[in-house]
Amino acid sequence: MTPVGSSPVFIGRQQELRLLLDHAHQARSGTAAATALVGGDAGVGKSRLIAEFAGRLADGRVVSGGCLELGVDGLPFAPFVAALRQILRDHGRAPFDALAQDGPQELARLLPELGAPPDDRREARGLLFEQVLRLFASVAGTDGLTVLVEDLHWADTATRDLLVFLMRNLDTAAVQIVATYRSDDLHRGHPLRRLLLELERLPTVTRLELGPLSPEETAEQAAAIRGRELEADEAAALFDRSGGNPLFVESLAGRPEFVGADIPERPRELLLASLDGLDQAHRQVLRVAAIGAVSAAHIEHDLLARVAGLGEESLNTALRALVDANALCIDGTGYRFRHALLREAVHDEVLPGQHTRLHLSFAEALDALPGVVPLHRLAAEQAHHYWSGHDLPRALEAAWWAAVRAADTLAFAEALRMHERVLEYWESVPDAVERVQGHSHVQVVSQAAAAALESGDFYRARALCDAGLAEVGEEADDERSRTDRAVLLRRRGQARTQLSDGDGISDFVEAMSIHPPHDPGYGFVLSLLAREVKLHQQPIADDRPDTSRSQRSTPVALDASELAAEAIRRSREAGDTCAESDALTTLGTVHMNDGRFDEGRALVERGLELARERQDPTLECRGLACFAHYLRERGLHGEARARLEAALERLRAIGLMSTSGPFVALNLAETRFDTGDLADCRRLVERAVSWSPSPAHRMYLATADVRAAVAQGDLEGARRSAAFIDPESVHSRIHMIQLSVGALLDLYLAEQDFARALALAGTALERVEFERSTGYGWMVVDRIAETLRQVAERPKGCSPDAEAVRAQVLRVAAAMRADGPVQEAFRATTRARLACVRGTSGATAAEAAEAWRDAVEAWSGLGMPLYRAEALLLSAEWALAADRGAQVDDRLREVVKRAAEHGAAVLEGRARDLARRTGVALEAADGRPSAEPPAGLTPREAEVLRLLARGYTNAEIAAELFIAAKTASVHVSHILAKLELPNRAGAASRAHELGLV
């Protein structure tokens, strides 16, 4: 057989190589993007390009690692662990120890040789990621460092999260990241496919896609391999068969001839055909290597020697032949396949029985050869081999330790997969409990649910908790079982609050009633329950089995303040700062909700301080998002926005967008809506939806998008988002109900579906306890009042349904307090809208005009321009209704200007319509000259003609244009004369011709 191998010279790719070298120089100097993503089909030459590139960089300035392949789950951060271990080998402990001077050594989670990892904390991932970043920056110094991550298409969730963190935060360090991936492996649902679309938008990312070689480059590559030039027909046939793919060119170039030869068409067979000249004994060694090379197509010599079972001389002969044939290449103390595709092809040709035996042999060899693979890989690789070797008992045990390892490294998605594999094997392993350190099946289910919660997979968390609760039963009579049930209930409650599944508050209540009070987790249950009671629509009965309570004749409602205070006390006793921080935030927001803003702010700030001390961005962002709501009610939108944007950037940096990002984004979107940034509001919602939010967060985001879309005049967009809002939802969180009602009322009014709007308003007034949450409560009451105002303007006026709603909303508004200037402004606007309704049934227009003047004053200075603009518009309208000669020019010009600035198309249209009807010139508002009326008509005459075409009488024209009936009659006469029309019917026809209707 003619030896086949890689080209001894680097063919083509000179432009791509120069690009990467320039990119490295610019990244090191901080003048350009820090990350290069190199994609291309399998075999197109990504690895060769990267090898050439790395070879031209200074020694010690490149670290690399590859992602695992062929189904090895449960091993997180694989390429970064390899890179960190290379740094440890080249630079020693000094740069690692320097990171731990001011805190824990989080990198010990990834490199056990650094010592014991810190005590487990619920969210230490942010600090872990920051230490990786700081280590790379420290090692880079001023000379620079390139981090190579190969085969990103095989990356686990944790690896992708860390990569994104580094991409977003290395802009000031002399560090370059180069990551490769197979484009042809990115099917529609591949997680990397969606991630690449997001990463492409980052200014720090450059994307490079490798295509096939040209016909000339293909011939040049083959000539370099063969040692002679190709004939023209050979070159044409080679390019036709290989498609310019360098790997296939290598395989074909080793054949004696390929013009008219019977050459396999499929890539797999083509790669295997290049091995046809190998001795079967040598090929068998290659098959053994393919089974064991699970880490970047690499296998250690000692591991291969033990499983191959050959004498040293026979093994060395086989390996020499495989290296000469370029099937394997020497790689450190082991071997690497020429290409991962070749490894896959050889792996797939192993017969089932042999496949099983070899996997089992490798699993046992890993036990027999301590240190042959790094400790962080051992459990995951053994789990893979034992499972493929059909040894379920040992596969279960290895999967358990892989889950423990993944949880220690804060890789929760990988921990979930390994826990579920343990559960999958459980029934087939009689001594399963002993193999998982004495944990029961229910406890493993509970740990899997915890991993699902931490990774943001709330549906899976709920399903696992359901299964665990069914198993433990309701009649658990020993403390361990009661604790297991309480923990499962608490975790299911957490999942259900994210899924709009009845909020899960009943789970928290039951968990509290059975959870042993002395258990450290009791304070956490109390803090979660306090949070939900605060948000719950209806009072929740206190069912704890306490003597004093059992003597009461009727249940007493749980009190969020009491629960939060008790949670703070219990948490401090147990040293649980996580639960204490959460409870402080809850107690603080309860106080702010009750009007005690300063007292509540101090508590929330203390909770945020604790969250920062324990490096817990999830808790910190929850507190900031809640706090921002009350800042907005005080008109402190600037502070709210700054804090929320900082929180969102923090979450984005550490890869926690899907779990906490949507909640922060919702509050930021609402802040932007309040300040009139409609387009920014909608863009933020769109981005947050791409982070795969929970169903509850998806509904919250939809409410913000509906309101902004309606204001922009985008009814189709509003309807699309409204599809995610269920007005009949069983969701019992009062904020969810209020936001849903407010958004849907806006949409129904825009659609002029007044019957539906009135029905929803009536239902809300009956069911929602507005006084429990006056912040959103006043917003909804205001929208209900607007519904009544618009209904009153219809030709038939207020219907009996509207009268009933009016009576209800008057009662609710009278009973509600208003805390802070924003709620006071909503109350003033509500009164003004209801004054407009009264104006249709006896009250004077002057009263309504006065109410709108008060509303304009209330909104002034709050930084909420569109709210003030709408009040200005309605104050102008009712001033004209009270006095047809009222001067409203400046008011209408300001409304048009503000509405145009913020893209509030509907408000702008209403203002322009009123200006047209009243003859107000708007040039001063927008700098645009008004369009000249057609046919020599004055602006006022054009407006009268428009109404004539609609069949208005003189009296109706007068009312519409705020003029006297006699004046309207004069205008009609002038129009008929100017247009030489015989009568009003002719005027209607002419208006259509002139485009006025």
Side-chain angles (χ1 to χ4, degrees), residues 614-630:
R614 52 176 286 113
Q615 299 286 332
D616 192 333
T618 301
L619 272 177
E620 184 180 354
C621 289
R622 183 240 161 184
L624 283 171
C626 292
F627 186 28
H629 171 82
Y630 295 98

Side-chain angles (χ1 to χ4, degrees), residues 525-565:
V525 175
L526 286 173
S527 72
L528 291 172
L529 181 57
R531 182 198 309 178
E532 290 306 310
V533 168
K534 170 188 173 291
L535 295 172
H536 209 65
Q537 162 66 8
Q538 301 292 339
I540 308 301
D542 186 348
D543 294 329
R544 282 176 287 178
D546 182 279
T547 303
S548 61
R549 293 185 181 90
S550 63
Q551 294 173 347
R552 297 170 181 165
S553 57
T554 58
V556 175
L558 290 169
D559 181 88
S561 294
E562 291 181 2
L563 286 168

Side-chain angles (χ1 to χ4, degrees), residues 897-975:
K897 181 180 179 181
R898 297 300 175 213
E901 286 174 348
H902 295 281
V906 174
L907 182 60
E908 182 183 359
R910 288 169 56 192
R912 288 186 178 278
D913 179 66
L914 182 58
R916 188 174 59 246
R917 290 189 287 126
T918 55
V920 173
L922 294 173
E923 290 87 342
D926 53 20
R928 294 180 294 174
S930 300
E932 286 296 324
L937 299 174
T938 67
R940 174 63 81 194
E941 289 168 348
E943 194 60 36
V944 171
L945 180 57
R946 192 191 316 272
L947 297 177
L948 276 174
R950 297 177 184 173
Y952 277 44
T953 66
N954 287 353
E956 290 171 335
I957 291 172
E960 182 74 8
L961 301 183
F962 304 99
I963 57 179
K966 184 175 181 180
T967 304
S969 177
V970 171
H971 283 311
V972 171
S973 298
H974 287 171
I975 291 168

